[in-house]
Amino acid sequence: MRTRTSPSLLLVVAVAAGLAANVALQAAYGDLPPLPLLAGLTPLVLGAAELVLASVLRARIRRREGARPVDALATARAVALAKASSVAGSAVGGAWLGVLAYVLPLRDRVDAAGADTASALVGVVGSGVLVGAGLWLEHSLRTPDDQDRPPADRP
């Protein structure tokens, strides 16, 4: 694989989403319904599925005994999934961090903020799993040839 997802891209996306969520909450927090506690589980489930996919594809790319070869189109789709999910996880995680930054100081004064703090923590953890799984899937799709050569020698 020629390019990897840049950590700086993920950081910029997370900060932008976090600022946008925080500003939106400052404008309309009193009018919003309480955040569901399990709202952040979706990225966690997606991340778990990607971890399974990464382990299966890693074995196939490394040509482990009994593993079928990987179709090139399936690999390209998996790379696209890995990149998209790490960026999406970063955006969702940044938004949850923006929510957390807003509700954490309010949790002692506003009852809803206490429940929303728990929801935001679940969302941050779930998004972190999705980002990590996306980056691991991307790493797992590297061919053995890519890993043997130093970065300067790669095309």
Side-chain angles (χ1 to χ4, degrees):
M1 185 168 25
R2 295 185 76 166
T3 61
R4 293 184 184 94
T5 302
S6 168
S8 60
L9 169 69
L10 299 178
L11 184 64
V12 167
V13 168
V15 168
L19 288 174
N22 195 287
V23 167
L25 284 176
Q26 288 177 14
Y29 185 68
D31 298 331
L32 295 174
L35 297 172
L37 178 63
L38 302 179
L41 282 185
T42 302
L44 181 72
V45 170
L46 293 173
E50 278 192 38
L51 288 173
V52 170
L53 178 65
S55 67
V56 169
L57 288 177
R58 184 175 176 91
R60 291 175 66 183
I61 287 174
R62 303 234 183 279
R63 296 179 185 98
R64 299 231 169 100
E65 192 172 321
R68 295 177 300 152
V70 183
D71 179 43
L73 188 55
T75 303
R77 288 178 179 160
V79 169
L81 173 67
K83 288 184 172 291
S85 59
S86 62
V87 172
S90 180
V92 172
W96 279 116
L97 283 171
V99 170
L100 187 62
Y102 183 78
V103 298
L104 199 58
L106 295 177
R107 75 181 187 279
D108 294 332
R109 294 180 281 144
V110 180
D111 290 336
D116 290 345
T117 300
S119 299
L121 287 172
V122 170
V124 167
V125 169
S127 300
V129 168
L130 182 59
V131 170
L135 292 174
W136 179 249
L137 177 59
E138 185 177 339
H139 176 77
S140 296
L141 294 170
R142 293 172 50 198
T143 61
D145 295 339
D146 285 345
Q147 296 173 10
D148 294 339
R149 291 185 285 169
D153 295 342
R154 292 182 191 151

